[in-house]
Amino acid sequence: GENVEQHPSTLSVQEGDSAVIKCTYSDSASNYFPWYKQELGKRPQLIIDIRSNVGEKKDQRIAVTLNKTAKHFSLHITETQPEDSAVYFCAASRGGSYIPTFGRGTSLIVHP
Amino acid sequence: NAGVTQTPKFQVLKTGQSMTLQCAQDMNHNSMYWYRQDPGMGLRLIYYSASEGTTDKGEVPNGYNVSRLNKREFSLRLESAAPSQTSVYFCASTGYGESPLHFGNGTRLTVT
């Protein structure tokens, strides 16, 4: 089955810095890669996703890149703000499978 | 449009007691899931239902049962609660194809 590794497990940055979270996956048939943000005590919520026919996608301060050859994808947050502090999860799934595989999560701390 | 609704929000059980966690979605989604979230372990899949009338085991099904009552509702039952089942439980749903999960607000369960 699919295996998703996520690094780092904790990331501490100063407000205004950039943050990068990386995930690798094992199943070359995976073609959908969402990212979820979970604030303390809240539910995970989708912040951005990318499909395998696209190499990069951007939404304001958030971007995701995908390298299918190397089987890794990354979340980039620019100009970080304290409200970006949360746990971020990556996931991977493939068409025909109903089960997304999640990474273990990255706790991002943005210091004012 | 409420999305995914879970009840209860909090529950305390004694070892050996039983309970059912309820989940309902109003997005006409076909697939529904139950996850548990423990510190440092990410989101682990307990059971899922790819479509109405079907259920399948996930990564950590032992000690749990599920019922897909209809397209909207997917319940999780603990027949004889154990302290190891102390966790936060999330229900989620998704539509066809490559689409993200929509999570409920979670149930915080403590078994003493």
Side-chain angles (χ1 to χ4, degrees), chain A residues 32-82:
Chain A
Y32 177 62
F33 308 93
W35 286 88
Y36 297 87
K37 175 184 180 182
Q38 186 179 25
E39 296 176 355
L40 189 63
K42 302 280 183 70
R43 60 184 171 171
Q45 291 190 282
L46 178 77
I47 54 170
I48 195 167
D49 56 7
I50 192 168
R51 290 170 175 78
S52 58
N53 58 345
V54 175
E56 183 174 0
K57 184 176 178 181
K58 198 170 182 179
D59 182 3
Q60 298 181 7
R61 295 186 296 107
I62 294 171
V64 57
T65 58
L66 171 65
N67 184 325
K68 287 208 70 180
T69 302
K71 289 190 280 188
H72 68 71
F73 57 111
S74 299
L75 178 71
H76 305 253
I77 306 174
T78 59
E79 300 172 22
T80 54
Q81 301 166 5

mmCIF file of all heavy atoms in Angstrom, chain A residues 32-82:
data_model
loop_
_atom_site.group_PDB
_atom_site.id
_atom_site.type_symbol
_atom_site.label_atom_id
_atom_site.label_comp_id
_atom_site.label_asym_id
_atom_site.label_seq_id
_atom_site.Cartn_x
_atom_site.Cartn_y
_atom_site.Cartn_z
ATOM 1 N N TYR A 32 -3.406 12.406 -6.475
ATOM 2 C CA TYR A 32 -4.087 13.514 -5.807
ATOM 3 C C TYR A 32 -3.424 13.760 -4.461
ATOM 4 O O TYR A 32 -3.248 12.830 -3.670
ATOM 5 C CB TYR A 32 -5.576 13.187 -5.627
ATOM 6 C CG TYR A 32 -6.341 14.261 -4.888
ATOM 7 C CD1 TYR A 32 -6.447 15.546 -5.418
ATOM 8 C CD2 TYR A 32 -6.943 14.004 -3.668
ATOM 9 C CE1 TYR A 32 -7.136 16.534 -4.739
ATOM 10 C CE2 TYR A 32 -7.629 14.987 -2.989
ATOM 11 C CZ TYR A 32 -7.729 16.261 -3.534
ATOM 12 O OH TYR A 32 -8.413 17.242 -2.866
ATOM 13 N N PHE A 33 -3.044 15.036 -4.211
ATOM 14 C CA PHE A 33 -2.210 15.356 -3.049
ATOM 15 C C PHE A 33 -2.777 16.592 -2.333
ATOM 16 O O PHE A 33 -2.444 17.731 -2.672
ATOM 17 C CB PHE A 33 -0.763 15.606 -3.492
ATOM 18 C CG PHE A 33 -0.221 14.485 -4.329
ATOM 19 C CD1 PHE A 33 -0.313 14.519 -5.717
ATOM 20 C CD2 PHE A 33 0.376 13.383 -3.734
ATOM 21 C CE1 PHE A 33 0.170 13.480 -6.501
ATOM 22 C CE2 PHE A 33 0.873 12.340 -4.501
ATOM 23 C CZ PHE A 33 0.766 12.386 -5.882
ATOM 24 N N PRO A 34 -3.613 16.381 -1.330
ATOM 25 C CA PRO A 34 -4.155 17.509 -0.565
ATOM 26 C C PRO A 34 -3.300 17.824 0.661
ATOM 27 O O PRO A 34 -2.574 16.968 1.170
ATOM 28 C CB PRO A 34 -5.536 17.001 -0.142
ATOM 29 C CG PRO A 34 -5.348 15.516 -0.011
ATOM 30 C CD PRO A 34 -4.281 15.123 -1.003
ATOM 31 N N TRP A 35 -3.412 19.062 1.116
ATOM 32 C CA TRP A 35 -2.797 19.505 2.365
ATOM 33 C C TRP A 35 -3.895 20.023 3.290
ATOM 34 O O TRP A 35 -4.756 20.793 2.865
ATOM 35 C CB TRP A 35 -1.779 20.613 2.120
ATOM 36 C CG TRP A 35 -0.498 20.147 1.515
ATOM 37 C CD1 TRP A 35 -0.214 20.021 0.187
ATOM 38 C CD2 TRP A 35 0.687 19.751 2.221
ATOM 39 N NE1 TRP A 35 1.077 19.570 0.015
ATOM 40 C CE2 TRP A 35 1.645 19.400 1.250
ATOM 41 C CE3 TRP A 35 1.029 19.661 3.572
ATOM 42 C CZ2 TRP A 35 2.930 18.962 1.595
ATOM 43 C CZ3 TRP A 35 2.296 19.236 3.916
ATOM 44 C CH2 TRP A 35 3.227 18.891 2.928
ATOM 45 N N TYR A 36 -3.814 19.602 4.568
ATOM 46 C CA TYR A 36 -4.803 20.014 5.560
ATOM 47 C C TYR A 36 -4.107 20.788 6.674
ATOM 48 O O TYR A 36 -2.992 20.467 7.057
ATOM 49 C CB TYR A 36 -5.512 18.791 6.155
ATOM 50 C CG TYR A 36 -6.299 17.992 5.154
ATOM 51 C CD1 TYR A 36 -5.688 16.988 4.410
ATOM 52 C CD2 TYR A 36 -7.654 18.235 4.953
ATOM 53 C CE1 TYR A 36 -6.403 16.248 3.485
ATOM 54 C CE2 TYR A 36 -8.383 17.496 4.027
ATOM 55 C CZ TYR A 36 -7.751 16.504 3.305
ATOM 56 O OH TYR A 36 -8.466 15.775 2.391
ATOM 57 N N LYS A 37 -4.826 21.753 7.212
ATOM 58 C CA LYS A 37 -4.350 22.530 8.359
ATOM 59 C C LYS A 37 -5.265 22.241 9.536
ATOM 60 O O LYS A 37 -6.487 22.264 9.391
ATOM 61 C CB LYS A 37 -4.389 24.027 8.027
ATOM 62 C CG LYS A 37 -4.026 24.951 9.184
ATOM 63 C CD LYS A 37 -4.186 26.409 8.759
ATOM 64 C CE LYS A 37 -3.825 27.360 9.896
ATOM 65 N NZ LYS A 37 -4.032 28.790 9.503
ATOM 66 N N GLN A 38 -4.658 21.955 10.687
ATOM 67 C CA GLN A 38 -5.452 21.688 11.876
ATOM 68 C C GLN A 38 -5.005 22.610 13.003
ATOM 69 O O GLN A 38 -3.912 22.447 13.556
ATOM 70 C CB GLN A 38 -5.331 20.228 12.318
ATOM 71 C CG GLN A 38 -6.253 19.889 13.478
ATOM 72 C CD GLN A 38 -6.148 18.435 13.910
ATOM 73 O OE1 GLN A 38 -5.129 17.777 13.705
ATOM 74 N NE2 GLN A 38 -7.212 17.916 14.490
ATOM 75 N N GLU A 39 -5.825 23.569 13.326
ATOM 76 C CA GLU A 39 -5.543 24.450 14.456
ATOM 77 C C GLU A 39 -5.861 23.713 15.749
ATOM 78 O O GLU A 39 -6.617 22.749 15.758
ATOM 79 C CB GLU A 39 -6.350 25.737 14.317
ATOM 80 C CG GLU A 39 -5.955 26.536 13.085
ATOM 81 C CD GLU A 39 -6.805 27.776 12.874
ATOM 82 O OE1 GLU A 39 -7.770 27.978 13.636
ATOM 83 O OE2 GLU A 39 -6.498 28.537 11.945
ATOM 84 N N LEU A 40 -5.275 24.195 16.834
ATOM 85 C CA LEU A 40 -5.393 23.510 18.111
ATOM 86 C C LEU A 40 -6.857 23.338 18.518
ATOM 87 O O LEU A 40 -7.624 24.309 18.561
ATOM 88 C CB LEU A 40 -4.647 24.310 19.185
ATOM 89 C CG LEU A 40 -4.485 23.622 20.531
ATOM 90 C CD1 LEU A 40 -3.649 22.353 20.393
ATOM 91 C CD2 LEU A 40 -3.832 24.571 21.538
ATOM 92 N N GLY A 41 -7.250 22.096 18.770
ATOM 93 C CA GLY A 41 -8.610 21.807 19.198
ATOM 94 C C GLY A 41 -9.656 21.830 18.104
ATOM 95 O O GLY A 41 -10.848 21.708 18.381
ATOM 96 N N LYS A 42 -9.202 22.001 16.848
ATOM 97 C CA LYS A 42 -10.155 22.082 15.736
ATOM 98 C C LYS A 42 -10.007 20.872 14.812
ATOM 99 O O LYS A 42 -9.162 20.010 15.013
ATOM 100 C CB LYS A 42 -9.904 23.376 14.937
ATOM 101 C CG LYS A 42 -9.997 24.653 15.753
ATOM 102 C CD LYS A 42 -11.425 25.066 15.961
ATOM 103 C CE LYS A 42 -11.555 26.385 16.705
ATOM 104 N NZ LYS A 42 -11.114 27.525 15.896
ATOM 105 N N ARG A 43 -10.842 20.839 13.812
ATOM 106 C CA ARG A 43 -10.785 19.749 12.834
ATOM 107 C C ARG A 43 -9.784 20.087 11.727
ATOM 108 O O ARG A 43 -9.517 21.262 11.458
ATOM 109 C CB ARG A 43 -12.172 19.569 12.205
ATOM 110 C CG ARG A 43 -12.656 20.815 11.506
ATOM 111 C CD ARG A 43 -14.061 20.663 10.979
ATOM 112 N NE ARG A 43 -14.578 21.929 10.495
ATOM 113 C CZ ARG A 43 -15.709 22.070 9.836
ATOM 114 N NH1 ARG A 43 -16.447 21.009 9.581
ATOM 115 N NH2 ARG A 43 -16.121 23.258 9.444
ATOM 116 N N PRO A 44 -9.234 19.074 11.048
ATOM 117 C CA PRO A 44 -8.402 19.343 9.874
ATOM 118 C C PRO A 44 -9.262 19.941 8.760
ATOM 119 O O PRO A 44 -10.402 19.520 8.539
ATOM 120 C CB PRO A 44 -7.896 17.955 9.468
ATOM 121 C CG PRO A 44 -8.084 17.098 10.675
ATOM 122 C CD PRO A 44 -9.292 17.652 11.377
ATOM 123 N N GLN A 45 -8.691 20.919 8.057
ATOM 124 C CA GLN A 45 -9.398 21.540 6.934
ATOM 125 C C GLN A 45 -8.461 21.682 5.755
ATOM 126 O O GLN A 45 -7.279 22.042 5.928
ATOM 127 C CB GLN A 45 -9.963 22.911 7.331
ATOM 128 C CG GLN A 45 -11.109 22.806 8.336
ATOM 129 C CD GLN A 45 -11.823 24.117 8.553
ATOM 130 O OE1 GLN A 45 -11.333 24.983 9.258
ATOM 131 N NE2 GLN A 45 -12.985 24.275 7.940
ATOM 132 N N LEU A 46 -8.984 21.449 4.566
ATOM 133 C CA LEU A 46 -8.185 21.558 3.342
ATOM 134 C C LEU A 46 -7.718 22.991 3.140
ATOM 135 O O LEU A 46 -8.507 23.930 3.253
ATOM 136 C CB LEU A 46 -9.025 21.135 2.139
ATOM 137 C CG LEU A 46 -8.341 21.249 0.787
ATOM 138 C CD1 LEU A 46 -7.369 20.085 0.593
ATOM 139 C CD2 LEU A 46 -9.352 21.299 -0.346
ATOM 140 N N ILE A 47 -6.426 23.165 2.838
ATOM 141 C CA ILE A 47 -5.935 24.499 2.496
ATOM 142 C C ILE A 47 -5.514 24.588 1.032
ATOM 143 O O ILE A 47 -5.633 25.655 0.414
ATOM 144 C CB ILE A 47 -4.769 24.935 3.402
ATOM 145 C CG1 ILE A 47 -3.629 23.909 3.410
ATOM 146 C CG2 ILE A 47 -5.262 25.231 4.811
ATOM 147 C CD1 ILE A 47 -2.370 24.407 4.093
ATOM 148 N N ILE A 48 -5.041 23.508 0.454
ATOM 149 C CA ILE A 48 -4.654 23.505 -0.935
ATOM 150 C C ILE A 48 -4.482 22.062 -1.384
ATOM 151 O O ILE A 48 -4.192 21.190 -0.559
ATOM 152 C CB ILE A 48 -3.355 24.321 -1.160
ATOM 153 C CG1 ILE A 48 -3.139 24.643 -2.645
ATOM 154 C CG2 ILE A 48 -2.145 23.611 -0.571
ATOM 155 C CD1 ILE A 48 -2.071 25.705 -2.900
ATOM 156 N N ASP A 49 -4.680 21.795 -2.654
ATOM 157 C CA ASP A 49 -4.455 20.453 -3.189
ATOM 158 C C ASP A 49 -3.872 20.557 -4.585
ATOM 159 O O ASP A 49 -3.936 21.606 -5.232
ATOM 160 C CB ASP A 49 -5.731 19.609 -3.185
ATOM 161 C CG ASP A 49 -6.894 20.254 -3.945
ATOM 162 O OD1 ASP A 49 -6.690 21.304 -4.594
ATOM 163 O OD2 ASP A 49 -8.007 19.711 -3.856
ATOM 164 N N ILE A 50 -3.275 19.470 -5.037
ATOM 165 C CA ILE A 50 -2.674 19.448 -6.368
ATOM 166 C C ILE A 50 -2.901 18.078 -6.982
ATOM 167 O O ILE A 50 -2.886 17.067 -6.277
ATOM 168 C CB ILE A 50 -1.168 19.809 -6.300
ATOM 169 C CG1 ILE A 50 -0.609 20.064 -7.703
ATOM 170 C CG2 ILE A 50 -0.376 18.736 -5.576
ATOM 171 C CD1 ILE A 50 0.768 20.708 -7.696
ATOM 172 N N ARG A 51 -3.118 18.067 -8.278
ATOM 173 C CA ARG A 51 -3.294 16.816 -9.002
ATOM 174 C C ARG A 51 -2.069 16.539 -9.850
ATOM 175 O O ARG A 51 -1.287 17.446 -10.137
ATOM 176 C CB ARG A 51 -4.573 16.862 -9.827
ATOM 177 C CG ARG A 51 -5.809 16.841 -8.931
ATOM 178 C CD ARG A 51 -7.105 17.135 -9.652
ATOM 179 N NE ARG A 51 -8.250 16.991 -8.761
ATOM 180 C CZ ARG A 51 -8.627 17.883 -7.847
ATOM 181 N NH1 ARG A 51 -7.945 18.999 -7.721
ATOM 182 N NH2 ARG A 51 -9.677 17.653 -7.068
ATOM 183 N N SER A 52 -1.921 15.296 -10.276
ATOM 184 C CA SER A 52 -0.648 14.858 -10.836
ATOM 185 C C SER A 52 -0.334 15.468 -12.199
ATOM 186 O O SER A 52 0.793 15.367 -12.660
ATOM 187 C CB SER A 52 -0.619 13.338 -10.965
ATOM 188 O OG SER A 52 -1.683 12.898 -11.779
ATOM 189 N N ASN A 53 -1.317 16.096 -12.827
ATOM 190 C CA ASN A 53 -1.048 16.697 -14.127
ATOM 191 C C ASN A 53 -0.540 18.135 -14.012
ATOM 192 O O ASN A 53 -0.381 18.827 -15.020
ATOM 193 C CB ASN A 53 -2.319 16.664 -14.989
ATOM 194 C CG ASN A 53 -3.488 17.382 -14.330
ATOM 195 O OD1 ASN A 53 -3.455 17.657 -13.148
ATOM 196 N ND2 ASN A 53 -4.506 17.675 -15.119
ATOM 197 N N VAL A 54 -0.279 18.560 -12.761
ATOM 198 C CA VAL A 54 0.176 19.927 -12.508
ATOM 199 C C VAL A 54 1.428 19.868 -11.653
ATOM 200 O O VAL A 54 1.528 19.042 -10.748
ATOM 201 C CB VAL A 54 -0.924 20.726 -11.771
ATOM 202 C CG1 VAL A 54 -0.421 22.113 -11.398
ATOM 203 C CG2 VAL A 54 -2.175 20.827 -12.625
ATOM 204 N N GLY A 55 2.405 20.734 -11.924
ATOM 205 C CA GLY A 55 3.647 20.720 -11.153
ATOM 206 C C GLY A 55 3.644 21.674 -9.974
ATOM 207 O O GLY A 55 4.384 21.460 -9.012
ATOM 208 N N GLU A 56 2.814 22.724 -10.070
ATOM 209 C CA GLU A 56 2.794 23.715 -9.007
ATOM 210 C C GLU A 56 1.433 24.389 -8.965
ATOM 211 O O GLU A 56 0.780 24.580 -9.986
ATOM 212 C CB GLU A 56 3.885 24.771 -9.250
ATOM 213 C CG GLU A 56 3.990 25.811 -8.152
ATOM 214 C CD GLU A 56 5.174 26.754 -8.335
ATOM 215 O OE1 GLU A 56 5.916 26.589 -9.322
ATOM 216 O OE2 GLU A 56 5.349 27.647 -7.493
ATOM 217 N N LYS A 57 1.033 24.762 -7.757
ATOM 218 C CA LYS A 57 -0.229 25.483 -7.586
ATOM 219 C C LYS A 57 -0.051 26.492 -6.469
ATOM 220 O O LYS A 57 0.598 26.195 -5.465
ATOM 221 C CB LYS A 57 -1.347 24.505 -7.244
ATOM 222 C CG LYS A 57 -2.733 25.122 -7.145
ATOM 223 C CD LYS A 57 -3.759 24.027 -6.891
ATOM 224 C CE LYS A 57 -5.153 24.575 -6.740
ATOM 225 N NZ LYS A 57 -6.133 23.492 -6.480
ATOM 226 N N LYS A 58 -0.605 27.673 -6.669
ATOM 227 C CA LYS A 58 -0.402 28.749 -5.697
ATOM 228 C C LYS A 58 -1.730 29.367 -5.312
ATOM 229 O O LYS A 58 -2.635 29.498 -6.136
ATOM 230 C CB LYS A 58 0.506 29.809 -6.325
ATOM 231 C CG LYS A 58 1.145 30.736 -5.325
ATOM 232 C CD LYS A 58 2.206 31.589 -6.012
ATOM 233 C CE LYS A 58 2.893 32.492 -5.012
ATOM 234 N NZ LYS A 58 3.937 33.325 -5.630
ATOM 235 N N ASP A 59 -1.841 29.744 -4.033
ATOM 236 C CA ASP A 59 -3.029 30.432 -3.549
ATOM 237 C C ASP A 59 -2.556 31.444 -2.515
ATOM 238 O O ASP A 59 -2.328 31.104 -1.361
ATOM 239 C CB ASP A 59 -4.020 29.442 -2.939
ATOM 240 C CG ASP A 59 -5.299 30.125 -2.469
ATOM 241 O OD1 ASP A 59 -5.451 31.350 -2.655
ATOM 242 O OD2 ASP A 59 -6.163 29.425 -1.907
ATOM 243 N N GLN A 60 -2.383 32.670 -2.948
ATOM 244 C CA GLN A 60 -1.908 33.758 -2.098
ATOM 245 C C GLN A 60 -0.556 33.393 -1.489
ATOM 246 O O GLN A 60 0.418 33.231 -2.221
ATOM 247 C CB GLN A 60 -2.963 34.090 -1.039
ATOM 248 C CG GLN A 60 -4.267 34.571 -1.658
ATOM 249 C CD GLN A 60 -5.327 34.931 -0.639
ATOM 250 O OE1 GLN A 60 -5.106 34.960 0.566
ATOM 251 N NE2 GLN A 60 -6.516 35.241 -1.114
ATOM 252 N N ARG A 61 -0.455 33.218 -0.167
ATOM 253 C CA ARG A 61 0.851 32.962 0.451
ATOM 254 C C ARG A 61 1.208 31.475 0.481
ATOM 255 O O ARG A 61 2.285 31.098 0.969
ATOM 256 C CB ARG A 61 0.858 33.506 1.882
ATOM 257 C CG ARG A 61 0.722 35.016 1.997
ATOM 258 C CD ARG A 61 0.883 35.482 3.442
ATOM 259 N NE ARG A 61 -0.164 34.965 4.307
ATOM 260 C CZ ARG A 61 0.018 34.006 5.218
ATOM 261 N NH1 ARG A 61 1.224 33.459 5.392
ATOM 262 N NH2 ARG A 61 -0.985 33.593 5.973
ATOM 263 N N ILE A 62 0.335 30.642 -0.016
ATOM 264 C CA ILE A 62 0.537 29.198 0.049
ATOM 265 C C ILE A 62 0.757 28.641 -1.349
ATOM 266 O O ILE A 62 0.065 29.039 -2.288
ATOM 267 C CB ILE A 62 -0.688 28.520 0.702
ATOM 268 C CG1 ILE A 62 -0.807 28.934 2.170
ATOM 269 C CG2 ILE A 62 -0.601 27.008 0.593
ATOM 270 C CD1 ILE A 62 -2.089 28.474 2.806
ATOM 271 N N ALA A 63 1.724 27.744 -1.478
ATOM 272 C CA ALA A 63 1.974 27.080 -2.744
ATOM 273 C C ALA A 63 2.317 25.618 -2.478
ATOM 274 O O ALA A 63 2.820 25.270 -1.402
ATOM 275 C CB ALA A 63 3.118 27.751 -3.497
ATOM 276 N N VAL A 64 2.008 24.773 -3.438
ATOM 277 C CA VAL A 64 2.387 23.373 -3.368
ATOM 278 C C VAL A 64 3.092 23.010 -4.664
ATOM 279 O O VAL A 64 2.685 23.440 -5.744
ATOM 280 C CB VAL A 64 1.158 22.468 -3.108
ATOM 281 C CG1 VAL A 64 0.101 22.654 -4.165
ATOM 282 C CG2 VAL A 64 1.572 21.011 -3.001
ATOM 283 N N THR A 65 4.186 22.257 -4.540
ATOM 284 C CA THR A 65 4.914 21.776 -5.705
ATOM 285 C C THR A 65 4.903 20.254 -5.690
ATOM 286 O O THR A 65 4.885 19.630 -4.624
ATOM 287 C CB THR A 65 6.368 22.282 -5.700
ATOM 288 O OG1 THR A 65 7.008 21.849 -4.489
ATOM 289 C CG2 THR A 65 6.407 23.797 -5.778
ATOM 290 N N LEU A 66 4.917 19.673 -6.866
ATOM 291 C CA LEU A 66 4.878 18.222 -7.012
ATOM 292 C C LEU A 66 5.961 17.782 -7.975
ATOM 293 O O LEU A 66 6.059 18.309 -9.089
ATOM 294 C CB LEU A 66 3.507 17.787 -7.531
ATOM 295 C CG LEU A 66 3.349 16.324 -7.938
ATOM 296 C CD1 LEU A 66 3.518 15.405 -6.728
ATOM 297 C CD2 LEU A 66 1.998 16.098 -8.599
ATOM 298 N N ASN A 67 6.758 16.812 -7.562
ATOM 299 C CA ASN A 67 7.762 16.187 -8.430
ATOM 300 C C ASN A 67 7.404 14.713 -8.541
ATOM 301 O O ASN A 67 7.706 13.922 -7.646
ATOM 302 C CB ASN A 67 9.160 16.378 -7.838
ATOM 303 C CG ASN A 67 10.245 15.828 -8.747
ATOM 304 O OD1 ASN A 67 10.059 14.815 -9.435
ATOM 305 N ND2 ASN A 67 11.394 16.482 -8.753
ATOM 306 N N LYS A 68 6.746 14.339 -9.630
ATOM 307 C CA LYS A 68 6.281 12.966 -9.771
ATOM 308 C C LYS A 68 7.426 11.984 -9.975
ATOM 309 O O LYS A 68 7.356 10.836 -9.561
ATOM 310 C CB LYS A 68 5.299 12.860 -10.937
ATOM 311 C CG LYS A 68 3.946 13.462 -10.657
ATOM 312 C CD LYS A 68 2.862 12.783 -11.470
ATOM 313 C CE LYS A 68 2.609 11.368 -10.991
ATOM 314 N NZ LYS A 68 1.560 10.675 -11.751
ATOM 315 N N THR A 69 8.482 12.436 -10.605
ATOM 316 C CA THR A 69 9.619 11.546 -10.851
ATOM 317 C C THR A 69 10.251 11.122 -9.527
ATOM 318 O O THR A 69 10.542 9.952 -9.299
ATOM 319 C CB THR A 69 10.660 12.240 -11.733
ATOM 320 O OG1 THR A 69 10.041 12.626 -12.961
ATOM 321 C CG2 THR A 69 11.829 11.317 -12.020
ATOM 322 N N ALA A 70 10.442 12.106 -8.658
ATOM 323 C CA ALA A 70 11.061 11.838 -7.363
ATOM 324 C C ALA A 70 10.035 11.389 -6.325
ATOM 325 O O ALA A 70 10.408 10.999 -5.216
ATOM 326 C CB ALA A 70 11.787 13.085 -6.872
ATOM 327 N N LYS A 71 8.767 11.482 -6.645
ATOM 328 C CA LYS A 71 7.668 11.129 -5.744
ATOM 329 C C LYS A 71 7.720 11.932 -4.451
ATOM 330 O O LYS A 71 7.736 11.373 -3.350
ATOM 331 C CB LYS A 71 7.641 9.621 -5.479
ATOM 332 C CG LYS A 71 7.198 8.840 -6.713
ATOM 333 C CD LYS A 71 6.918 7.379 -6.420
ATOM 334 C CE LYS A 71 8.205 6.612 -6.369
ATOM 335 N NZ LYS A 71 8.018 5.153 -6.266
ATOM 336 N N HIS A 72 7.803 13.242 -4.611
ATOM 337 C CA HIS A 72 7.673 14.078 -3.435
ATOM 338 C C HIS A 72 6.920 15.361 -3.771
ATOM 339 O O HIS A 72 6.872 15.802 -4.926
ATOM 340 C CB HIS A 72 9.006 14.358 -2.738
ATOM 341 C CG HIS A 72 9.970 15.199 -3.481
ATOM 342 N ND1 HIS A 72 9.805 16.556 -3.705
ATOM 343 C CD2 HIS A 72 11.160 14.879 -4.035
ATOM 344 C CE1 HIS A 72 10.836 17.018 -4.363
ATOM 345 N NE2 HIS A 72 11.669 16.032 -4.591
ATOM 346 N N PHE A 73 6.280 15.921 -2.755
ATOM 347 C CA PHE A 73 5.538 17.167 -2.894
ATOM 348 C C PHE A 73 5.741 17.996 -1.638
ATOM 349 O O PHE A 73 6.022 17.457 -0.561
ATOM 350 C CB PHE A 73 4.054 16.918 -3.191
ATOM 351 C CG PHE A 73 3.312 16.064 -2.191
ATOM 352 C CD1 PHE A 73 2.330 16.616 -1.379
ATOM 353 C CD2 PHE A 73 3.554 14.700 -2.085
ATOM 354 C CE1 PHE A 73 1.619 15.843 -0.483
ATOM 355 C CE2 PHE A 73 2.860 13.913 -1.187
ATOM 356 C CZ PHE A 73 1.893 14.490 -0.385
ATOM 357 N N SER A 74 5.665 19.294 -1.798
ATOM 358 C CA SER A 74 6.021 20.202 -0.709
ATOM 359 C C SER A 74 4.997 21.325 -0.572
ATOM 360 O O SER A 74 4.416 21.771 -1.569
ATOM 361 C CB SER A 74 7.402 20.823 -0.953
ATOM 362 O OG SER A 74 8.398 19.833 -1.019
ATOM 363 N N LEU A 75 4.837 21.779 0.657
ATOM 364 C CA LEU A 75 3.997 22.940 0.966
ATOM 365 C C LEU A 75 4.914 24.105 1.303
ATOM 366 O O LEU A 75 5.821 23.962 2.124
ATOM 367 C CB LEU A 75 3.083 22.636 2.152
ATOM 368 C CG LEU A 75 2.175 23.769 2.617
ATOM 369 C CD1 LEU A 75 1.073 24.024 1.589
ATOM 370 C CD2 LEU A 75 1.569 23.444 3.983
ATOM 371 N N HIS A 76 4.664 25.242 0.671
ATOM 372 C CA HIS A 76 5.466 26.441 0.908
ATOM 373 C C HIS A 76 4.541 27.536 1.431
ATOM 374 O O HIS A 76 3.529 27.841 0.801
ATOM 375 C CB HIS A 76 6.118 26.921 -0.388
ATOM 376 C CG HIS A 76 6.949 25.877 -1.074
ATOM 377 N ND1 HIS A 76 8.330 25.908 -1.082
ATOM 378 C CD2 HIS A 76 6.597 24.770 -1.776
ATOM 379 C CE1 HIS A 76 8.789 24.866 -1.765
ATOM 380 N NE2 HIS A 76 7.759 24.158 -2.198
ATOM 381 N N ILE A 77 4.902 28.106 2.567
ATOM 382 C CA ILE A 77 4.153 29.234 3.114
ATOM 383 C C ILE A 77 5.110 30.413 3.192
ATOM 384 O O ILE A 77 6.157 30.329 3.846
ATOM 385 C CB ILE A 77 3.581 28.927 4.522
ATOM 386 C CG1 ILE A 77 2.747 27.644 4.495
ATOM 387 C CG2 ILE A 77 2.735 30.104 5.015
ATOM 388 C CD1 ILE A 77 2.279 27.192 5.861
ATOM 389 N N THR A 78 4.770 31.495 2.520
ATOM 390 C CA THR A 78 5.615 32.692 2.558
ATOM 391 C C THR A 78 5.028 33.716 3.539
ATOM 392 O O THR A 78 3.840 33.660 3.869
ATOM 393 C CB THR A 78 5.735 33.325 1.170
ATOM 394 O OG1 THR A 78 4.414 33.661 0.703
ATOM 395 C CG2 THR A 78 6.375 32.364 0.173
ATOM 396 N N GLU A 79 5.893 34.620 3.987
ATOM 397 C CA GLU A 79 5.474 35.711 4.893
ATOM 398 C C GLU A 79 4.606 35.165 6.031
ATOM 399 O O GLU A 79 3.481 35.617 6.248
ATOM 400 C CB GLU A 79 4.727 36.783 4.100
ATOM 401 C CG GLU A 79 5.569 37.403 2.986
ATOM 402 C CD GLU A 79 4.754 38.324 2.085
ATOM 403 O OE1 GLU A 79 3.691 38.816 2.519
ATOM 404 O OE2 GLU A 79 5.172 38.530 0.934
ATOM 405 N N THR A 80 5.138 34.213 6.754
ATOM 406 C CA THR A 80 4.346 33.549 7.796
ATOM 407 C C THR A 80 3.832 34.533 8.837
ATOM 408 O O THR A 80 4.485 35.540 9.157
ATOM 409 C CB THR A 80 5.158 32.451 8.490
ATOM 410 O OG1 THR A 80 6.387 33.000 8.970
ATOM 411 C CG2 THR A 80 5.429 31.292 7.554
ATOM 412 N N GLN A 81 2.668 34.195 9.368
ATOM 413 C CA GLN A 81 2.007 35.001 10.390
ATOM 414 C C GLN A 81 1.667 34.107 11.581
ATOM 415 O O GLN A 81 1.555 32.887 11.419
ATOM 416 C CB GLN A 81 0.735 35.629 9.807
ATOM 417 C CG GLN A 81 1.013 36.516 8.611
ATOM 418 C CD GLN A 81 -0.244 36.871 7.818
ATOM 419 O OE1 GLN A 81 -1.355 36.532 8.210
ATOM 420 N NE2 GLN A 81 -0.052 37.560 6.716
ATOM 421 N N PRO A 82 1.502 34.670 12.775
ATOM 422 C CA PRO A 82 1.190 33.828 13.943
ATOM 423 C C PRO A 82 -0.028 32.935 13.725
ATOM 424 O O PRO A 82 -0.052 31.811 14.236
ATOM 425 C CB PRO A 82 0.945 34.870 15.038
ATOM 426 C CG PRO A 82 1.813 36.020 14.657
ATOM 427 C CD PRO A 82 1.747 36.070 13.149
#
